[in-house]
Amino acid sequence: MNWGKIRKKVLEGKPIVLIDDRREFEADLIYPAEIASPEVVNFMLSMKGLLCLTMDMEEALKRGFFPLPSKEGETNFLVPVDYKETFTGITAEERALTARKIAEGLGVEAFRYPGHLYLLGGIGLKGRRGHTESSLELMEILGFKRYALIVEILDEKGDSHNREYALKLAEEHDLPVLTTDDVWKEFVRRKRLVRIYASARLPTRYGDFRIIAFDNELDFKEHVAIVKEPYGEVPLVRVHSKCLTGDTLASLKCDCGSQLANALRMIAQEGGILLYMDQEGRGIGLKEKIKAYELQDKGYDTVEANKALGRGEDERTYEVAFQMLRALGVSKVRLITNNPRKAKALEEFGIEVVEIVPAPGEVTEHNKPYLKVKAEKLGHKLPFEV
C-alpha cells in the first residue's frame, strides 16, 4: 500500500473511499478534519448520508463532549455541535470551520449544542473494527490528527450498501479506495501489541524447550511460544492452533495431536519456534467445535458442519502470530504447514516465508474423511496419500 501517494491525494482535496467488506458492506467517504475545506465538505454532503466527525471517545469525554443514549455495541454518538463563531452552523463553510476547531483541541465550551455536526466516539480498533475506529487509525497512518470527517455514500436509491456504486464514484472523481481490512493490517504492522511477559524452562519427552508467555493487547487471549534455541535468523516455525480433543485427549478424529508431536520433534532437533494459538476448532471455539462434531456424526463433513452452524469454514486469523514472531525478533521463517493460507496470511503482515516444510500427521481410519476435506475443500497440500 502506497500511503504516501494516498496522503498526497488527500492534500489535493480528495476524500478516501473506505469500504467495510467484512462487517457492513458499506462505503464511506473519509477526510482529515484538521484540513476540512468548504469544497470538501460540500462534496461529502452530496453523498446524502449523515456527515459526522469522528474522534477518540476518551478524548471527547475529557474535553466535555457528552454522549447521546445508545445501545451497547452500537456506534457512540455524541452531542452534535456548531462552533460558537458560526451563524447558523449548517453551511458547508461553517461545518468545515467547526470540524477544524474540534481538531484544534477546543473544549465543549467553544461550541453551541445541539448543532449541525454530529460527533462519533471511537473506542479503538482493538474494541471495534467499524468505520469510526478505522477512520481514526487511518488519520494517524497518514500523518494527520485523530479527527476525521465521515459520511456514508448513498446511491441513487438511497442505499448505503452498493459497493459497485462507490467504486464507480471513486473512479469518476479520482478518489483513493481502501478497505477497513487494509487499515487493520497496517495497524497491526505498526503497533506493538504483543510483548514477552515470562519465559521458563520446559523439559518434555521431545527435548528441552523454553515456554514463553505474552502480554497480549490484540485479542487478549493466552497464546504461548515453545522455543528451542538457538534458532538462527530463519527459524523453523510451526503455528499450531489449539485442539483440546486432538492435542490433549489423543482423539483420532483429526491429525492435530500427531502434527503437534512431530513439529516438536523437528524443532527439538534443529531449533525453532512453535506458536501454540488459542484458536480452537479453526477459530469457532470448543463448544461450537463439539456441536460441529455432533453434526459430523449425522453425516456432515467438517466444512458442511461449520456452515450449518452459521460459521466460516476457517475463522482463524494470524495477526497475533505475526506480533508474537516480531516480539521474538523473527521476520523470516521456514514454516511447518500443509496450509498455503497460513503462509499467505503471515506474508501479508510482513513475515517472509522462505520455505514451506510439510507437516506430517498420522492417518487413521477415523480421520481419513477429515483429511480428505482438508485437501479437497480447504486447499491443504498433504504430504501423504489419504
Side-chain angles (χ1 to χ4, degrees):
M1 191 65 64
N2 191 333
W3 296 104
K5 186 176 179 181
I6 293 170
R7 177 182 166 86
K8 184 172 183 292
K9 281 202 172 190
V10 168
L11 290 171
E12 292 169 358
K14 306 279 189 182
I16 295 165
V17 175
L18 183 64
I19 299 173
D20 184 346
D21 278 337
R22 185 179 294 268
R23 295 175 65 255
E24 301 169 313
F25 300 96
E26 179 183 286
D28 289 14
L29 285 187
I30 311 291
Y31 198 77
E34 67 184 275
I35 57 170
S37 67
E39 295 76 19
V40 168
V41 169
N42 194 46
F43 178 71
M44 295 181 77
L45 288 170
S46 73
M47 298 300 106
K48 299 181 287 190
L50 182 66
L51 181 69
C52 301
L53 182 143
T54 64
M55 60 196 301
D56 288 301
M57 190 67 170
E58 186 177 344
E59 176 70 15
L61 297 177
K62 191 184 299 182
R63 285 162 53 184
F65 298 100
F66 51 90
L68 301 176
S70 63
K71 289 184 179 179
E72 188 176 350
E74 297 296 323
T75 304
N76 294 309
F77 275 87
L78 296 115
V79 62
V81 298
D82 295 326
Y83 181 52
K84 274 188 175 179
E85 295 184 18
T86 59
F87 180 52
T88 64
I90 198 170
T91 66
E93 182 176 1
E94 290 181 326
R95 282 195 253 193
L97 177 61
T98 297
R100 294 196 304 272
K101 290 299 180 181
I102 292 172
E104 279 181 19
L106 300 182
V108 73
E109 64 279 356
F111 301 88
R112 298 191 305 269
Y113 52 84
H116 296 89
L117 186 59
Y118 280 86
L119 307 183
L120 302 178
I123 60 172
L125 277 181
K126 292 180 290 182
R128 184 174 177 274
R129 285 170 61 177
H131 273 102
T132 299
E133 289 72 23
S134 296
S135 71
L136 296 174
E137 205 59 45
L138 179 55
M139 293 302 96
E140 185 174 321
I141 290 167
L142 294 174
F144 297 105
K145 296 176 184 177
R146 290 176 64 92
Y147 305 91
L149 286 174
I150 184 170
V151 66
E152 302 95 336
I153 299 171
L154 305 186
D155 66 14
E156 301 95 332
K157 296 179 180 178
D159 184 4
S160 65
H161 294 71
N162 189 335
R163 191 180 194 277
E164 295 311 310
Y165 179 86
L167 292 175
K168 185 179 177 184
L169 178 86
E171 186 178 356
E172 288 175 356
H173 295 276
D174 190 30
L175 308 179
V177 178
L178 292 169
T179 68
T180 51
D181 270 0
D182 293 329
V183 177
W184 170 253
K185 286 172 185 174
E186 188 65 16
F187 167 76
V188 171
R189 289 187 199 104
R190 286 171 177 250
K191 299 291 176 81
R192 291 195 174 270
L193 302 165
V194 174
R195 293 176 173 81
I196 292 174
Y197 176 73
S199 173
R201 273 190 68 238
L202 183 70
T204 76
R205 68 180 64 181
Y206 308 109
D208 287 342
F209 300 91
R210 294 197 73 77
I211 185 166
I212 297 174
F214 298 86
D215 267 330
N216 171 13
E217 296 180 9
L218 190 49
D219 67 3
F220 304 98
K221 295 182 179 179
E222 292 190 325
H223 314 283
V224 297
I226 295 123
V227 172
K228 177 69 175 180
E229 296 173 320
Y231 49 71
E233 288 186 13
V234 190
L236 199 59
V237 170
R238 166 75 179 164
V239 181
H240 187 90
S241 298
K242 182 171 77 173
C243 176
L244 174 71
T245 49
D247 298 343
T248 307
L249 302 177
S251 167
L252 300 178
K253 293 187 74 166
C254 63
D255 61 341
C256 302
S258 57
Q259 281 193 322
L260 175 62
N262 288 331
L264 286 172
R265 288 189 186 100
M266 294 163 72
I267 289 169
Q269 286 175 2
E270 58 176 285
I273 301 165
L274 186 138
L275 302 182
Y276 196 77
M277 310 300 297
D278 185 6
Q279 297 192 129
E280 184 81 47
R282 296 199 193 109
I284 68 172
L286 183 60
K287 281 198 309 184
E288 289 291 89
K289 183 174 89 167
I290 293 171
K291 188 67 177 176
Y293 277 0
E294 183 180 318
L295 292 175
Q296 290 168 44
D297 289 342
K298 297 175 182 177
Y300 291 73
D301 67 32
T302 55
V303 169
E304 292 166 348
N306 273 31
K307 288 182 176 178
L309 294 173
R311 309 302 295 259
E313 60 185 29
D314 189 342
E315 296 189 2
R316 291 175 294 180
T317 61
Y318 297 95
E319 297 94 330
V320 181
F322 158 71
Q323 289 258 342
M324 291 165 72
L325 288 171
R326 187 166 66 179
L328 295 168
V330 173
S331 59
K332 299 179 182 180
V333 301
R334 294 166 55 223
L335 189 64
I336 305 171
T337 187
N338 301 326
N339 184 358
R341 295 185 193 180
K342 199 176 287 188
K344 183 182 177 185
L346 289 178
E347 286 174 332
E348 285 179 348
F349 289 106
I351 297 293
E352 183 180 345
V353 180
V354 174
E355 180 186 0
I356 292 181
V357 180
E362 182 182 358
V363 181
T364 72
E365 288 302 312
H366 298 280
N367 71 13
K368 278 184 181 179
Y370 165 82
L371 293 172
K372 284 189 72 174
V373 170
K374 265 189 173 184
E376 294 170 5
K377 292 190 175 183
L378 298 175
H380 290 215
K381 309 295 183 185
L382 302 184
F384 45 75
E385 290 293 326
V386 179

